[in-house]
Amino acid sequence: GAGVSQTPSNKVTEKGKYVELRCDPISGHTALYWYRQSLGQGPEFLIYFQGTGAADDSGLPNDRFFAVRPEGSVSTLKIQRTERGDSAVYLCASSFNKQDTQYFGPGTRLTVL
Amino acid sequence: EDQVTQSPEALRLQEGESSSLNCSYTVSGLRGLFWYRQDPGKGPEFLFTLYSAGEEKEKERLKATLTKKESFLHITAPKPEDSATYLCAVRDLSGGYQKVTFGTGTKLQVIP
């Protein structure tokens, strides 16, 4: 079956701009997660959704980062006033429920110039 | 705070040369230890979940084992296509089931 998909695969933007990254989870998965992976590091937790609500956003680095999942399926990670330090691969994962294994998408590589 | 340490950082093997990757962890209450494989430019691909000490799981040339302090990923007679970064991660009771903490990975290169 179809896995987790993310768009775009690459995004290049200028410092100070606004970006949106999209995640389409595996059908039927109620739990959705966003991670950030810097070069040479493991993925770092950002936010977790159960259904439509952000149940745990403790990993978001600051208030420039925000994510939504309005219909309990597709999620969008939004970054305002981007900074060069935001450059990383943003990974999305989904699972049937929060106790289940997380399956990852291919990621979006964000480059802030 | 959960800690996951993987060693070695990088490993270079000849094709057919078996070895093991190590993942040491510190958690207050383990609710799952995960192994993922990550190819360059791709997302992590799920391999195994282990829940309790003594548990073992196998898939082709890979075998994962778990003790109370560490996990090993044994690679038997590796092939060049096994080259990838192998990530270990833990889920802890105190972090809630949703929060998974990853190590920095072991980059494996298998030379033909």
Side-chain angles (χ1 to χ4, degrees), chain A residues 94-113:
Chain A
S94 71
S95 62
F96 184 70
N97 56 49
K98 73 173 182 176
Q99 289 97 337
D100 200 9
T101 297
Q102 297 180 20
Y103 296 90
F104 284 81
T108 294
R109 180 175 297 278
L110 175 67
T111 303
V112 182
L113 301 176

Side-chain angles (χ1 to χ4, degrees), chain B residues 12-108:
Chain B
R12 194 176 185 194
L13 299 173
Q14 290 291 325
E15 184 173 1
E17 179 186 2
S18 301
S19 188
S20 297
L21 312 182
N22 178 263
C23 172
S24 298
Y25 63 91
T26 304
V27 298
S28 58
L30 186 68
R31 289 297 181 268
L33 183 140
F34 307 89
W35 282 99
Y36 287 86
R37 168 193 170 126
Q38 187 171 28
D39 292 295
K42 303 282 183 66
E45 175 190 345
F46 172 71
L47 294 173
F48 304 109
T49 307
L50 301 168
Y51 289 102
S52 56
E55 189 175 0
E56 299 182 352
K57 289 194 176 173
E58 286 188 71
K59 179 180 178 181
E60 296 181 353
R61 295 177 292 282
L62 300 178
K63 178 180 178 180
T65 62
L66 181 66
T67 73
K68 289 186 177 179
K69 294 183 179 180
E70 56 192 351
S71 177
F72 292 93
L73 185 65
H74 306 278
I75 304 177
T76 302
K79 298 182 177 181
E81 53 262 41
D82 294 323
S83 297
T85 295
Y86 290 85
L87 294 167
C88 172
V90 297
R91 185 163 58 196
D92 180 20
L93 177 63
S94 66
Y97 281 88
Q98 67 272 14
K99 196 170 292 184
V100 174
T101 302
F102 282 83
T104 55
T106 292
K107 186 174 183 179
L108 174 66

Side-chain angles (χ1 to χ4, degrees), chain A residues 26 32 36-37 60 70 83 97 102 112-113:
Chain A
I26 294 171
L32 184 146
R36 179 167 69 175
Q37 187 174 27
L60 294 178
E83 299 177 357
N97 56 49
Q102 297 180 20
V112 182
L113 301 176

Side-chain angles (χ1 to χ4, degrees), chain A residues 45-108:
Chain A
F45 172 83
L46 294 177
I47 188 170
Y48 153 68
F49 286 89
Q50 180 59 48
T52 60
D56 184 348
D57 64 358
S58 62
L60 294 178
N62 52 60
D63 60 7
R64 295 187 298 105
F65 289 74
F66 189 72
V68 296
R69 193 185 186 199
E71 298 180 356
S73 179
V74 171
S75 175
T76 304
L77 179 66
K78 309 180 180 195
I79 309 174
Q80 299 177 320
R81 304 183 303 279
T82 52
E83 299 177 357
R84 292 194 180 89
D86 298 335
S87 296
V89 175
Y90 289 82
L91 294 164
C92 177
S94 71
S95 62
F96 184 70
N97 56 49
K98 73 173 182 176
Q99 289 97 337
D100 200 9
T101 297
Q102 297 180 20
Y103 296 90
F104 284 81
T108 294

